[in-house]
Amino acid sequence: LKTRADTNAINITLNSFGTPLNEPAMRSSDRKRLYPAVGHLYPMGTSMLSDVSSEEELGRVLQIFPQYSAIWSIHANSPDKSIDDAFYERDVQALELAFESQMHFASFYAYVKLKEQEIRNLVWITECILQAQKDEISKYVPVFSFHAPWRAQKSR
């Protein structure tokens, strides 16, 4: 739940750039009220996020928090990969680990969430085909694949 709240807070900040919510008066009043009151970023991180006005500042704020600095570096170093893609990859990796243990209900939750990711992947592939963007098809988040980025790093 804390991780979902932090993901939402970061997305609220990113999506507010270029909108009236990014104006200084709106940041401290309206945008600050949109942030969740739970999470690893709450309260210090969300107050810092409310003062952010650009992606560079967002990157500097996220570097303070180790669990999000790696995700931000993936986004910053790869122009093809959005921060949402990095969050999806992290979620899939964590959900795959739910099947490593026994005697708990997390595997059922993980199964449903991984099925949702597979549906997102299928929608992405079909949209790429419909829009004749065949070069973009491979930009999906693999589920239980030996070619997943987090598995490829372990085998090296």
Side-chain angles (χ1 to χ4, degrees):
L1 187 61
K2 288 182 176 184
T3 305
R4 288 265 180 237
D6 293 344
T7 302
N8 288 340
I10 293 168
N11 281 331
I12 287 168
T13 306
L14 264 175
N15 292 333
S16 70
F17 297 151
T19 68
L21 282 176
N22 200 28
E23 294 174 6
M26 298 286 275
R27 274 187 247 149
S28 60
S29 62
D30 291 344
R31 188 167 80 180
K32 193 170 189 173
R33 286 187 293 194
L34 294 174
Y35 292 130
V38 294
H40 301 290
L41 295 176
Y42 181 77
M44 184 182 77
T46 53
S47 67
M48 292 170 73
L49 286 177
S50 67
D51 296 330
V52 167
S53 64
S54 67
E55 278 199 36
E56 293 80 26
E57 289 180 40
L58 177 62
R60 284 194 294 273
V61 168
L62 291 179
Q63 292 299 325
I64 298 170
F65 302 94
Q67 65 265 38
Y68 300 111
S69 64
I71 291 173
W72 181 257
S73 65
I74 290 170
H75 168 66
N77 296 333
S78 175
D80 295 342
K81 193 169 286 198
S82 70
I83 196 156
D84 287 331
D85 294 337
F87 280 129
Y88 284 137
E89 282 184 1
R90 190 224 24 218
D91 290 345
V92 167
Q93 183 180 9
L95 292 168
E96 286 179 357
L97 291 175
F99 293 97
E100 300 290 326
S101 300
Q102 299 176 6
M103 306 301 179
H104 59 81
F105 291 109
S107 57
F108 296 106
Y109 176 80
Y111 176 80
V112 170
K113 290 298 182 182
L114 289 172
K115 283 296 179 186
E116 287 177 2
Q117 182 59 48
E118 285 181 347
I119 292 168
R120 269 195 295 272
N121 289 344
L122 289 172
V123 168
W124 174 259
I125 292 168
T126 55
E127 288 292 325
C128 287
I129 292 170
L130 287 173
Q131 297 174 10
Q133 297 288 325
K134 297 195 182 198
D135 297 337
E136 305 290 321
I137 288 178
S138 62
K139 294 182 181 176
Y140 62 89
V141 180
V143 177
F144 287 117
S145 170
F146 289 113
H147 304 293
W150 51 91
R151 289 208 175 88
Q153 292 172 354
K154 288 182 183 177
S155 64
R156 290 182 188 165

